[in-house]
Amino acid sequence: MDIEDLQTFVAVADAGGVSAAARRLGISKSIVSRRLFRIEAELGVQLLARTTRGAALTEAGITFRDHAARASAEIDTAREAILPAGELRGRLRVAMPLTFGPTHFAPVLAEMARQHPQLHIHTSYSDRFVDLIADGFDCAIRGAYLQDSDLIAKRVGPIHGKLVASPDYIEAHGSPETLDELAAHQALMQGTEAWQFMDGDRTVMVQPQGRFKADSATALAAAAAAGLGIAWLPDCITYKYVASGALVPIMTRYPVPPGAVYVVRPPGQHPTRKVRVLTEMLIEYFARNSDVWGLDR
């Protein structure tokens, strides 16, 4: 039985359809369909029930999927074992946050591509919450506070943040000293989110109000520097503004709880070596750039 047929079946089963599996594998839908036809013909059973929404596993498909996944994982492990030491091949699809992915993490991916000339890296930059399985990603980089899911996450570094405002805004409107005073100030927000602060050992939620909203932390930092209001932002976005004096930390008695950056991947037995190498490079990146992420505090 052809190993590519097995891997294609597993991809279709996990992605829930031919189109999503084709995106994940980087091949055409017709190739995926031919591989599925071959494997079902060889087994003599129907593994997938095609529907208008995609494909659902039959009872036989559910049983066969686990065996096929284990066989595919063993073959991948064997291939990695016989490659020259440290060499990576194939394709790595990564979802990165648009907020700080292009500025901070893109150089890590570029260095990974330089070190591994046989590796194809495809990166999608977006702040939307992508479905790794349906959209065909090997992994994603996610920051701040990780939501509950069945994805497997590896923490690569912390994120620190603070409340900031421009000197002009502070001169015109004053600087809030307590959490209650925030209600009287213009907040720069991504939507209707609540802000979290540490009051001693307690985490306190504050619902800010404001007229300026943007789905980009970079845009909110620029708006804060222009004097439009107060922003609750990570240090990796504001550190240059703070260093130049364009933004000033405020309400330092109530620090922002630290978050973290994670490499997340679809559930499975073991991460691929490509994902492991990227994870290790990101951990090293955080260690080298502690000033950018506020890790030296």
Side-chain angles (χ1 to χ4, degrees), residues 99-116:
T99 295
F100 43 75
T103 51
H104 298 294
F105 297 150
V108 177
L109 289 174
E111 177 60 20
M112 187 176 182
R114 188 193 68 79
Q115 293 181 14
H116 303 281

Side-chain angles (χ1 to χ4, degrees), residues 147-167:
Q147 299 180 6
D148 291 335
S149 73
D150 60 353
L151 299 175
I152 298 173
K154 172 66 175 178
R155 184 179 182 274
V156 294
I159 293 180
H160 291 281
K162 56 173 64 78
L163 206 63
V164 294
S166 71

Side-chain angles (χ1 to χ4, degrees), residues 8 22 85 90 99-100 102 113 118 132 136 142 157 173 192 202 258 286 288:
T8 300
T99 295
F100 43 75
Q118 300 301 316
L132 297 190
R142 290 182 177 162
H173 304 282
T192 58
R202 296 186 308 120
F286 273 93
R288 294 193 311 269

Side-chain angles (χ1 to χ4, degrees), residues 1-296:
M1 188 172 293
D2 191 285
I3 185 62
E4 286 189 336
D5 292 353
L6 279 178
Q7 291 173 329
T8 300
F9 164 69
V10 173
V12 174
D14 291 349
V18 170
S19 298
R23 288 194 298 270
R24 182 174 187 177
L25 296 170
I27 58 179
S28 69
K29 291 189 292 183
S30 61
I31 292 177
V32 172
S33 296
R34 284 199 298 271
R35 290 177 179 176
L36 290 175
F37 177 80
R38 282 199 302 265
I39 202 168
E40 287 181 325
E42 184 159 349
L43 291 170
V45 295
Q46 184 179 3
L47 300 175
L48 292 155
R50 281 71 169 177
T51 68
T52 55
R53 293 186 177 183
L57 291 173
T58 63
E59 185 176 352
I62 293 172
T63 301
F64 188 70
R65 185 262 169 215
D66 292 337
H67 292 284
R70 284 196 295 270
S72 298
E74 288 294 332
I75 291 295
D76 286 340
T77 300
R79 283 174 170 168
E80 289 182 351
I82 63 175
L83 285 173
E87 185 175 347
L88 297 177
R89 295 173 182 261
R91 189 180 63 150
L92 176 66
R93 290 199 72 215
V94 186
M96 286 272 191
L98 180 61
T99 295
F100 43 75
T103 51
H104 298 294
F105 297 150
V108 177
L109 289 174
E111 177 60 20
M112 187 176 182
R114 188 193 68 79
Q115 293 181 14
H116 303 281
Q118 300 301 316
L119 180 64
H120 296 253
I121 299 178
H122 298 178
T123 312
S124 174
Y125 292 96
S126 173
D127 283 333
R128 72 181 181 88
F129 197 80
V130 299
D131 186 324
L132 297 190
I133 296 175
D135 294 335
F137 288 102
D138 296 291
C139 65
I141 313 304
R142 290 182 177 162
Y145 309 100
L146 198 62
Q147 299 180 6
D148 291 335
S149 73
D150 60 353
L151 299 175
I152 298 173
K154 172 66 175 178
R155 184 179 182 274
V156 294
I159 293 180
H160 291 281
K162 56 173 64 78
L163 206 63
V164 294
S166 71
D168 289 343
Y169 179 88
I170 294 172
E171 183 178 353
H173 304 282
S175 176
E177 298 295 333
T178 67
L179 297 176
D180 291 337
E181 291 179 9
L182 274 179
H185 288 266
Q186 283 291 321
L188 307 174
M189 302 178 293
Q190 293 196 18
T192 58
E193 72 273 13
W195 288 353
Q196 297 182 35
F197 298 94
M198 297 302 298
D199 185 3
D201 295 331
R202 296 186 308 120
T203 300
V204 181
M205 307 287 287
V206 175
Q207 196 70 48
Q209 300 295 324
R211 65 185 180 87
F212 188 93
K213 298 182 180 182
D215 61 358
S216 165
T218 305
L220 294 178
L228 294 183
I230 295 171
W232 186 91
L233 294 169
D235 290 352
C236 62
I237 299 297
T238 62
Y239 75 102
K240 288 185 178 178
Y241 290 96
V242 172
S244 68
L247 289 176
V248 177
I250 60 175
M251 285 185 57
T252 54
R253 287 175 49 203
Y254 301 95
V256 171
V261 174
Y262 300 86
V263 175
V264 297
R265 61 180 175 87
Q269 291 184 326
H270 302 288
T272 63
R273 192 152 66 94
K274 295 186 285 284
V275 174
R276 291 201 306 270
V277 169
L278 174 59
T279 301
E280 292 165 1
M281 293 183 70
L282 285 169
I283 292 173
E284 293 173 1
Y285 161 80
F286 273 93
R288 294 193 311 269
N289 294 274
S290 60
D291 57 330
V292 174
W293 295 86
L295 312 188
D296 55 351

